[in-house]
Amino acid sequence: MFEQVKLSYAADALEPYVDTLTVETHYGKHHATYTKNFNDAAEKAGLADKTAEEILGNLDAVADEGLRKALRNNGGGYYNHNLYFSTLSPTPGAISEKLKAAIEEAFGSVDAVIEKLSALAAGQFGSGWAFLSVTPDGKVAISASPNQDNPISEGTGNTPILALDVWEHAYYLKYKNLRPDYIKAFFKVLDWGAVSDLYEKAIG
């Protein structure tokens, strides 16, 4: 059974950058609904014994179009939100030297990758995400995906380690239509230590 990641912080702990009501609504309602619907769809598809990554990476194997769509949308919502919430913290950790070096090799600096991710997120038309991912050869790459898609469901072979949610439910209660302000705030509570741990896991 797929379970929501347990928050390591209270709902009000990310204030003033992410407000309490948004955490309660985003995590407690939106993420919870994606998780429930993903479990239901996986059960119907006979895939409840698979990991989220296995399901999202092999959607073409699901013959039923309705089930395939349900798995893509709700599985993506489950996976993306687990990643998003697990890498936020009121006391963010520092980036590791290994991840820093990979980012500097690909983008020049950590500030540069933040700038590029921010631009992707701000420029995403409608709902979607911006991702920092690890490629199969251990390098890092950035991308944007619509809706609840991600590099796994898109078949890139990359493993996301940072997910920036730009669905309106992630920010509209506090920031209204000022998405760039929310994006700046996101990086104030992004736990680079947690992202670094995911990088280490991805490269093995």
Side-chain angles (χ1 to χ4, degrees):
M1 182 174 180
F2 299 104
E3 296 183 356
Q4 285 179 270
V5 65
K6 298 292 186 288
L7 297 185
S8 61
Y9 44 87
D12 63 352
L14 303 178
E15 293 272 10
Y17 305 108
V18 182
D19 61 290
T20 306
L21 184 57
T22 292
V23 173
E24 291 173 343
T25 307
H26 194 182
Y27 176 83
K29 298 186 184 300
H30 290 281
H31 186 14
T33 299
Y34 285 123
T35 302
K36 178 186 182 303
N37 290 344
F38 184 38
N39 275 301
D40 291 346
E43 190 71 36
K44 287 178 184 175
L47 298 171
D49 61 331
K50 303 295 185 182
T51 66
E53 291 88 343
E54 287 171 334
I55 293 173
L56 292 173
N58 295 279
L59 289 168
D60 289 344
V62 180
D64 185 282
E65 184 179 350
L67 269 180
R68 187 167 63 249
K69 184 176 180 181
L71 290 167
R72 185 181 198 112
N73 291 337
N74 292 291
Y78 164 79
Y79 180 93
N80 294 347
H81 283 97
N82 262 12
L83 178 56
Y84 175 84
F85 284 111
S86 69
T87 55
L88 299 181
S89 174
T91 54
I95 191 169
S96 70
E97 288 302 317
K98 194 173 285 188
L99 176 55
K100 184 181 177 184
I103 288 174
E104 287 174 345
E105 180 184 349
F107 301 102
S109 69
V110 175
D111 285 344
V113 81
I114 290 173
E115 183 179 337
K116 290 178 183 295
L117 276 169
S118 298
L120 281 178
Q124 175 64 44
F125 184 78
S127 301
W129 299 76
F131 293 99
L132 176 68
S133 302
V134 181
T135 66
D137 60 357
K139 299 184 183 301
V140 291
I142 60 172
S143 61
S145 301
N147 304 314
Q148 294 295 357
D149 289 348
N150 60 42
I152 299 173
S153 62
E154 291 167 341
T156 67
N158 295 347
T159 302
I161 58 173
L162 184 164
L164 171 44
D165 189 348
V166 289
W167 279 66
E168 286 185 346
H169 63 233
Y171 63 88
Y172 215 80
L173 290 174
K174 180 176 176 68
Y175 295 97
K176 301 298 187 284
N177 61 318
L178 302 177
R179 183 189 283 185
D181 289 356
Y182 154 73
I183 293 168
K184 288 178 185 175
F186 168 84
F187 284 103
K188 297 288 188 182
V189 288
L190 176 65
D191 186 352
W192 280 107
V195 177
S196 297
D197 291 342
L198 291 171
Y199 175 72
E200 292 281 352
K201 182 179 178 183
I203 63 173

